[in-house]
Amino acid sequence: MRKRARLTAPRAMKEECNSEDYISSLPDDILVSIISRLSLKEAAVTSNVARRWRYLWTHLATFDFNANDTLDRIAEHPKLRISERPKYINWVNRVVRQHSGSTMNAFRICFDLDKSSKSAIDNWVKFSIAMRVQRLELDLLENGETLRQPFRNYVFPHKLLSQCKGSSLKHVRASFPGVQPCMLSGLKCLKTLSLKCVNVSEEALKYFLSNCLVLQSLSIHGSGDLVNVKVSGSKLKLKYLEIVFCLGIESIEISNVNLVSFSYLGPGINLLIENVPMLDEISIGEGYSGLENNVFGQLSCCLYQLEVLTLDIYRPEENIKIFAFPELPNLKQLILKVGAWEDDSLLEFTSLIKSCPYLQRFVLQLIWMSPSKRRRKIRQAAKCPHEYLKLVEIAGYYGRTSDDELAMYFIENAVSLQKIIIDPRNQILDRTPVRIAQIKKEEAARKRAKQQLEAKKPPGVKLIIL
């Protein structure tokens, strides 16, 4: 019997199989691009794959020091903060010291840090600016979710940056070997700056606007040092401005800029906006009710051009029934964040919706801790056809009479309605684990939403219950 010949791989193929794998043979820039899609901790682990991979992760251009798992534990057990802070600081320092890249796209710190960590944070800020970072974010919220008392906030070191010459630059180089400091030119590369639980003075704000020549987005949360804010000048590249819960603020003046989006949430202030031809998106909530200080009067110069409007109305007052809403002729999206502590009717907001003749998307976010529910007859608002409204979203839907009657208003009046999205989940987000009781409440709300709306919606309307 004739024997079969044994199949063997050619010698060249054997050598190829014994060599490094195909991926490892790719150029460094492609491998770094692959690694960049991982989290920072996952990227560092790739150094164990092979000798070829050992230092690739140190060339990453985006550093996101996300510690969500640790922050979740701190939210449950606040005493952990004392031991976890130095661990986080050491982690960031260790990674930064190994960095081998020449520039940086983004640098993000996200942890519960305050002024006691000033030295470390100062060095990180100087490092990122020296690396000509384009996006810098310091998210120092307490427990990763709440603002702290301003006197405990870290203070942004704008004076330190302006003095970073000579010996200061040598200090940066000594702290992080391999970094080639270029502080002055570095500021000119910054496009996005986000600061949470960071004290920013008026002087610091002026410094940003004067020296960050391509700054497009500025977000400041919880600063205790801002009092009077002025953003003006046609040379500014700023497109997005956000100021949230800076409780000492008294006035904001915005003029002669090409701002596209403006967000403000906090105490009632003197707000002056003029000559902002590109501004088409505003999110605002002033004072206890959210509509204090004649909000619409303050926005009068740009109401006609708005396409997206978000109103934070955490404590709707009885006088909202007689509130005169102005016409918003170009508005396409209206988002209302409403305090729904009681089962009071929400139909009063339909007068605002009627002021938006070309509205296409309406979002209602109902904020409550433990929603009260009472029996009463369902009310009906005066009919008003909304010809362009296609999407309605109601978050925090609990199946109360107030929820049901508003949803029915849209079913009956939005003649072009295509989709209703109902989200029964609690809209107050925190890091504590979701309790079984809360899960049961949400499941009951889903059943009520289906019972209340499924049979009443027109055949062509899609009902989605999350």
Side-chain angles (χ1 to χ4, degrees):
M1 182 182 291
R2 188 177 178 182
K3 292 183 179 181
R4 262 188 190 174
R6 180 178 294 173
L7 296 177
T8 59
R11 181 178 299 177
M13 186 178 293
K14 283 184 178 180
E15 292 176 354
E16 185 177 344
C17 291
N18 291 332
S19 64
E20 288 185 305
D21 62 271
Y22 171 72
I23 293 180
S24 293
S25 67
L26 295 172
D28 282 2
D29 56 343
I30 294 179
L31 292 178
V32 171
S33 176
I34 293 172
I35 294 173
S36 68
R37 287 158 173 77
L38 304 173
S39 71
L40 193 53
K41 289 185 177 180
E42 291 170 337
V45 172
T46 62
S47 62
N48 299 321
V49 172
R51 183 180 299 178
R52 170 84 167 78
W53 291 71
R54 187 172 181 183
Y55 298 108
L56 285 175
W57 73 275
T58 67
H59 292 270
L60 291 174
T62 297
F63 279 2
D64 183 354
F65 294 95
N66 189 324
N68 274 329
D69 291 342
T70 303
L71 289 170
D72 288 343
R73 292 199 302 273
I74 291 176
E76 277 199 273
H77 308 287
K79 290 183 179 179
L80 286 175
R81 182 188 298 113
I82 298 173
S83 59
E84 293 296 337
R85 273 183 177 172
K87 292 179 184 178
Y88 182 86
I89 291 172
N90 289 336
W91 173 45
V92 177
N93 285 338
R94 190 167 58 250
V95 171
V96 166
R97 287 193 183 100
Q98 296 181 73
H99 183 255
S100 304
S102 57
T103 59
M104 185 167 290
N105 294 332
F107 188 86
R108 179 174 181 258
I109 295 295
C110 181
F111 202 75
D112 182 342
L113 299 173
D114 57 21
K115 65 181 182 181
S116 65
S117 305
K118 172 178 170 54
S119 178
I121 304 173
D122 279 354
N123 281 333
W124 300 338
V125 170
K126 288 189 290 184
F127 163 78
S128 61
I129 297 298
M131 297 303 298
R132 299 186 289 277
V133 70
Q134 295 183 39
R135 179 184 180 90
L136 174 60
E137 182 175 351
L138 300 180
D139 184 345
L140 310 183
L141 292 170
E142 194 167 75
N143 296 338
E145 61 183 357
T146 58
L147 298 174
R148 64 170 56 84
Q149 293 177 318
F151 73 87
R152 292 171 48 216
N153 283 350
Y154 167 74
V155 179
F156 195 88
H158 72 284
K159 291 183 179 179
L160 193 63
L161 295 181
S162 64
Q163 296 167 359
C164 277
K165 303 174 183 177
S167 60
S168 297
L169 293 182
K170 290 179 182 178
H171 176 70
V172 177
R173 200 188 304 271
S175 300
F176 306 115
V179 176
Q180 299 300 318
C182 186
M183 210 67 69
L184 297 178
S185 62
L187 284 171
K188 296 177 182 178
C189 299
L190 190 61
K191 295 181 179 179
T192 300
L193 180 61
S194 177
L195 305 172
K196 296 179 181 178
C197 278
V198 175
N199 281 349
V200 179
S201 65
E202 294 173 44
E203 183 182 358
L205 180 60
K206 290 178 183 177
Y207 181 80
F208 297 148
L209 297 177
S210 300
N211 292 279
C212 305
L213 303 181
V214 294
L215 187 65
Q216 297 178 8
S217 177
L218 176 60
S219 177
I220 302 173
H221 289 225
S223 170
D225 293 345
L226 277 181
V227 180
N228 299 301
V229 173
K230 184 174 182 179
V231 179
S232 180
S234 58
K235 292 183 179 180
L236 294 180
K237 303 296 182 182
L238 198 65
K239 302 291 184 184
Y240 307 93
L241 176 63
E242 181 180 56
I243 298 176
V244 175
F245 288 128
C246 298
L247 301 183
I249 200 162
E250 295 178 359
S251 69
I252 297 178
E253 180 182 338
I254 303 171
S255 62
N256 304 313
V257 291
N258 289 320
L259 204 66
V260 172
S261 174
F262 170 61
S263 297
Y264 174 77
L265 183 60
I269 58 170
N270 293 320
L271 176 62
L272 174 63
I273 300 179
E274 58 184 8
N275 194 18
V276 283
M278 305 297 291
L279 185 61
D280 61 12
E281 180 174 356
I282 285 181
S283 176
I284 194 163
E286 285 195 47
Y288 186 74
S289 70
L291 294 174
E292 292 179 12
N293 278 26
N294 185 22
V295 166
F296 288 107
Q298 293 176 330
L299 303 177
S300 59
C301 81
C302 56
L303 288 177
Y304 70 94
Q305 65 197 50
L306 290 183
E307 294 187 7
V308 181
L309 175 63
T310 300
L311 295 175
D312 286 86
I313 312 173
Y314 288 130
R315 293 287 182 181
E317 296 177 333
E318 283 297 319
N319 62 9
I320 200 169
K321 297 177 181 179
I322 58 173
F323 199 91
F325 293 110
E327 185 171 357
L328 303 165
N330 286 307
L331 202 70
K332 305 295 189 301
Q333 297 185 52
L334 176 62
I335 299 101
L336 300 182
K337 300 178 182 180
V338 177
W341 320 108
E342 305 293 336
D343 194 7
D344 295 325
S345 178
L346 299 167
L347 290 177
E348 308 304 337
F349 290 106
T350 60
S351 58
L352 174 57
I353 300 166
K354 293 172 184 176
S355 299
C356 313
Y358 295 99
L359 192 67
Q360 297 176 10
R361 176 176 179 247
F362 174 76
V363 179
L364 178 65
Q365 185 178 1
L366 298 170
I367 312 296
W368 40 258
M369 290 290 288
S370 180
S372 63
K373 189 178 180 183
R374 66 173 186 262
R375 292 186 177 184
R376 60 177 176 83
K377 291 183 178 180
I378 291 181
R379 291 177 50 198
Q380 284 188 323
K383 289 193 174 183
C384 177
H386 300 287
E387 298 179 7
Y388 297 90
L389 186 58
K390 298 178 180 179
L391 175 61
V392 171
E393 302 173 43
I394 304 179
Y397 190 102
Y398 193 65
R400 300 179 295 182
T401 303
S402 55
D403 304 340
D404 186 13
E405 62 190 10
L406 185 65
M408 286 306 303
Y409 171 82
F410 290 113
I411 287 175
E412 295 171 356
N413 290 278
V415 295
S416 299
L417 190 62
Q418 297 177 356
K419 189 184 298 183
I420 300 177
I421 299 176
I422 301 296
D423 182 356
R425 291 172 293 185
N426 190 334
Q427 297 302 296
I428 299 180
L429 303 177
D430 58 37
R431 291 183 173 273
T432 55
V434 178
R435 308 297 179 189
I436 294 177
Q438 180 61 34
I439 295 174
K440 289 182 177 179
K441 282 183 179 181
E442 292 173 2
E443 189 55 40
R446 288 186 182 93
K447 291 180 180 179
R448 283 193 293 271
K450 189 170 184 178
Q451 293 170 356
Q452 291 168 341
L453 306 176
E454 184 68 50
K456 298 176 183 177
K457 69 175 183 65
V461 176
K462 189 174 183 181
L463 175 63
I464 298 175
I465 302 176
L466 300 179

